Amino acid sequence: MLLAKSPIKSLILVLFFTLVSAFSEKLTASSQNDTALADTIEKEVDIDITEVAFEHILDAHSWHIFGEGHHAVSIPLPVILETNNGITVFSSSEFNHDIKGKIVVEKNGERFVNYKEKIYYASDSANQNGQYLTAKEEGKELIIENASPLDFSITKNVASMFISVIIILWLGISLARAYKKTGITSAPKGKQSFLEPLIVFVRDDIAKSNIGTRGEKFAPFLLTIFFFILINNILGMLPFGANLTGNIAFTLSLSVVTLIVTNVNGNAAYWHHIFAPPAPWWLYLILIPIEIIGIFTKPFALMIRLFANMSAGHIIIVSLVGLIFIFKTLLVSPVSVAFALFIDVLECLVALLQAYIFTMLTALFIGTATADHHEHEHRDEEQHEGETLSTQNH
Amino acid sequence: MNLIILNALVTPAIGLIFWTSIVFILLIFLLGKFAWKPILSAVKEREKGIEEALKSAEKAKIEMARLKSDNERILNEARSERDALLKEAREIKETILNEAKSKATKDAERILQGAREQIINEKNAAIVDLKNQVASFSIEIAEKILRSELSGDEKQKTLVNTLLKEVTLN
């Protein structure tokens, strides 16, 4: 969809729709008879902003640049499906920008349709709307009854992720080469002077301060998380960017890795605390399930936090621009653009902040899983002994 | 419609999970090996270098202070040594001067003594010489006188008489 999150894109959008509405007015004025065309244009201006906003932040099988419907300009991406007949690969352009399930693509002896960016096996014949889908209406909602293949497509989000990987690898490896070339005796320059503080910050203020002396071992992992999220957050804010970090599948995958890393590195004290918490035994019936749920709620919170923060920012910006179309007046546009710009600047901060929070909390979880609880206990004991000694002396 | 979209929003897509997991795990290994490891070790090495440089600077400072105090001490020592040397030299000069002076006085005295002795000797010799000469002159004179006195018989007789008169027989 066309509605965008960046102010530049918003401006272009406003100009575009101004032209469209002006054109439609002219049309209705000059040729009253051609009501059909005017109706379609009226219809186009009358967009469901909620749908636009959600379509904007959701994943897509092609990388949309501009335009609507069959005239849209987009970069086709490979569709990879695990079907009943094995793996099927074809270009997303074969759907011809259709996301309403009206165009059937036949490949490998199977027929597919794209309905709202989800691939289904096509029905044998079209329904009354021309869709090769069998749908059941439940109140206002349409429930698609068609089966769908496993979709491993290189979607817009995956493509964006690949771009981010190229950027991160280029940054990381060229930085490593810079250190090798200039050595450590010269002051950092160029990329180094920008990235080194970030790297040192992650190592010292995230890894070491939350994990302690073992922090350095986890610094590479935390640095990877930090830069992966940060670069993807920034890419998501660019015009035409994909909302990867605001996608729950992405945050889920990162959280699962965090969950695995945390629990694989969990020491005896950590597991002891879960399966034999310091409480009366009859409380174990409640405490152990709570502790086990706790293992999963921590990364779950990470997943929801990043997803919700990034998605919310994008939705707000699309909604602000959408105000123009809800009120159907250009007078709102200065307000919309000003607020969208404000939120966009705020999103710059959020992009950095969310990368930091995700990394920091991951470090915190690893820190609690690897901390020596005995050390604290010993220290407490010593303190108590000291106190009793001092009281005895009195 | 909205419910379906919302549902799509919170339903993780298997494809994206698959790709994200692969990409993320690959990234952890690739970055860990080719980026973070060399970068972190370089940063650490630099930090160590800076720390060492600071430490050695501190050490150099202490060394400098020590050297300075040493220098001062050495300077003071040198100064006192110089003073002592000067004093000694002055003393030596004085003694040498005094010695020279006393020696000169002695020498002068000795020379004077010698001169005096020589003068006395010379005088004595001169006196002896003079005496001898006076004696010879006297004899000559006496001879001449005698000759003149005894040039006639008369005179010889008178003389003998005179002499005889002078000689009183006891």
Side-chain angles (χ1 to χ4, degrees):
Chain A
M1 278 286 131
L2 197 65
L3 291 182
K5 52 203 170 244
S6 92
I8 300 161
K9 223 178 153 187
S10 323
L11 266 174
I12 295 167
L13 201 74
V14 169
L15 286 173
F16 176 75
F17 276 96
T18 317
L19 282 175
V20 168
S21 53
F23 186 58
S24 73
E25 272 170 33
K26 211 174 165 188
L27 267 177
T28 43
S30 59
S31 55
Q32 292 282 341
N33 304 335
D34 203 355
T35 44
L37 182 61
D39 271 351
T40 52
I41 294 165
E42 285 275 289
K43 225 178 181 179
E44 211 167 353
V45 177
D46 202 17
I47 336 167
D48 181 356
I49 295 300
T50 321
E51 197 179 344
V52 169
F54 278 105
E55 275 178 13
H56 180 77
I57 60 165
L58 285 175
D59 206 354
H61 281 87
S62 60
W63 200 316
H64 182 251
I65 309 287
F66 60 83
E68 286 297 324
H70 297 300
H71 305 292
V73 175
S74 63
I75 301 166
L77 296 166
V79 176
I80 304 165
L81 301 171
E82 164 70 40
T83 66
N84 300 330
N85 294 351
I87 291 171
T88 307
V89 181
F90 58 92
S91 166
S92 70
S93 60
E94 299 202 23
F95 285 120
N96 200 13
H97 308 296
D98 170 54
I99 55 160
K100 291 185 172 120
K102 288 179 180 172
I103 290 174
V104 177
V105 175
E106 275 198 68
K107 282 278 143 128
N108 211 3
E110 294 195 274
R111 303 162 71 240
F112 307 103
V113 285
N114 184 348
Y115 181 70
K116 293 190 187 287
E117 294 299 354
K118 191 165 162 53
I119 311 270
Y120 294 96
Y121 290 116
S123 307
D124 292 332
S125 56
N127 61 12
Q128 70 274 18
N129 296 326
Q131 296 169 309
Y132 289 85
L133 290 164
T134 319
K136 184 173 73 181
E137 252 178 270
E138 262 185 27
K140 272 189 171 181
E141 310 294 335
L142 272 176
I143 308 288
I144 309 294
E145 288 173 333
N146 293 48
S148 59
L150 283 180
D151 190 351
F152 292 102
S153 304
I154 307 297
T155 56
K156 186 183 176 184
N157 278 345
V158 177
S160 171
M161 181 162 61
F162 287 166
I163 293 171
S164 78
V165 166
I166 292 166
I167 293 171
I168 296 168
L169 282 178
W170 169 70
L171 276 178
I173 292 169
S174 67
L175 195 62
R177 199 167 294 157
Y179 278 107
K180 221 172 272 173
K181 205 166 88 182
T182 62
I184 52 151
T185 46
S186 70
K189 57 183 178 185
K191 276 198 300 298
Q192 260 177 313
S193 51
F194 174 69
L195 289 173
E196 195 181 302
L198 278 178
I199 292 169
V200 171
F201 173 74
V202 172
R203 188 197 62 181
D204 291 348
D205 293 314
I206 296 180
K208 278 187 190 167
S209 70
N210 285 309
I211 308 176
T213 46
R214 295 177 205 81
E216 258 174 75
K217 199 182 105 189
F218 293 98
F221 171 64
L222 295 169
L223 279 166
T224 308
I225 290 190
F226 181 77
F227 280 99
F228 194 40
I229 295 175
L230 179 64
I231 299 290
N232 277 307
N233 279 350
I234 292 167
L235 283 182
M237 287 178 56
L238 295 176
F240 314 114
N243 177 32
L244 175 63
T245 44
N247 190 301
I248 201 150
F250 176 82
T251 59
L252 173 81
S253 307
L254 294 196
S255 304
V256 167
V257 175
T258 293
L259 175 77
I260 293 167
V261 170
T262 305
N263 287 290
V264 163
N265 287 291
N267 59 13
Y270 170 74
W271 292 113
H272 183 83
H273 193 81
I274 287 168
F275 291 108
W281 62 268
W282 47 268
L283 270 176
Y284 282 13
L285 213 67
I286 310 164
L287 280 178
I288 291 174
I290 288 175
E291 289 283 354
I292 289 170
I293 292 166
I295 296 173
F296 296 98
T297 49
K298 285 187 235 165
F300 187 80
L302 279 185
M303 171 181 89
I304 297 295
R305 185 179 294 108
L306 182 58
F307 152 71
N309 270 287
M310 297 320 291
S311 287
H314 293 276
I315 290 172
I316 289 170
I317 291 169
V318 180
S319 306
L320 282 170
V321 178
L323 283 180
I324 301 167
F325 306 103
I326 291 167
F327 290 117
K328 288 184 179 166
T329 165
L330 263 183
L331 293 175
V332 191
S333 60
V335 181
S336 286
V337 172
F339 273 90
L341 180 63
F342 169 71
I343 298 293
D344 224 38
V345 174
L346 195 69
E347 281 294 289
C348 288
L349 178 71
V350 171
L352 192 67
L353 197 68
Q354 288 306 320
Y356 164 66
I357 289 176
F358 196 106
T359 317
M360 206 273 285
L361 288 176
T362 301
L364 195 69
F365 298 157
I366 295 171
T368 47
T370 58
D372 289 322
H373 289 281
H374 292 296
E375 273 177 27
H376 296 290
E377 279 164 26
H378 277 305
R379 217 171 292 149
D380 288 349
E381 275 167 28
E382 274 165 31
Q383 237 171 23
H384 280 304
E385 275 169 32
E387 277 164 19
T388 44
L389 271 176
S390 61
T391 45
Q392 275 169 353
N393 286 344
H394 284 302
Chain B
M1 178 103 52
N2 291 345
L3 245 173
I4 289 176
I5 296 168
L6 262 176
N7 197 30
L9 193 64
V10 292
T11 311
I14 182 85
L16 194 53
I17 293 177
F18 171 76
W19 288 112
T20 307
S21 304
I22 286 182
V23 162
F24 186 50
I25 288 164
L26 257 173
L27 207 58
I28 289 174
F29 284 105
L30 282 178
L31 281 178
K33 192 162 163 31
F34 297 111
W36 306 134
K37 204 175 156 198
I39 291 170
L40 284 174
S41 68
V43 168
K44 200 170 185 188
E45 218 170 300
R46 177 190 286 148
E47 276 166 1
K48 218 188 268 170
I50 290 170
E51 202 176 313
E52 264 164 29
L54 281 175
K55 249 183 217 163
S56 65
E58 188 66 23
K59 220 185 265 175
K61 213 166 129 192
I62 292 166
E63 185 78 357
M64 274 291 283
R66 204 180 56 77
L67 275 177
K68 210 175 156 192
S69 73
D70 261 20
N71 279 351
E72 208 126 294
R73 193 176 52 76
I74 289 167
L75 208 67
N76 279 342
E77 270 175 17
R79 208 171 283 143
S80 62
E81 201 166 329
R82 186 199 63 182
D83 286 351
L85 276 175
L86 275 177
K87 203 176 158 198
E88 206 177 326
R90 213 173 286 132
E91 277 167 8
I92 288 169
K93 184 191 78 178
E94 224 123 280
T95 46
I96 287 171
L97 262 178
N98 285 346
E99 263 173 27
K101 230 182 254 175
S102 63
K103 203 179 165 211
T105 324
K106 259 185 219 160
D107 274 5
E109 247 162 52
R110 194 170 48 78
I111 290 163
L112 272 176
Q113 191 70 27
R116 220 170 273 137
E117 276 170 14
Q118 212 170 346
I119 288 168
I120 292 167
N121 288 345
E122 293 283 320
K123 197 176 84 184
N124 288 348
I127 290 170
V128 169
D129 203 19
L130 204 65
K131 273 182 185 167
N132 290 343
Q133 273 187 0
V134 168
S136 66
F137 282 150
S138 313
I139 291 166
E140 264 175 50
I141 293 167
E143 205 186 289
K144 277 173 186 168
I145 294 172
L146 275 174
R147 228 174 252 154
S148 66
E149 285 293 313
L150 296 169
S151 53
D153 285 340
E154 228 15 65
K155 277 181 183 180
Q156 282 175 5
K157 269 176 199 172
T158 15
L159 185 64
V160 173
N161 287 334
T162 346
L163 282 172
L164 282 171
K165 267 181 211 171
E166 266 170 34
V167 179
T168 52
L169 295 162
N170 295 342

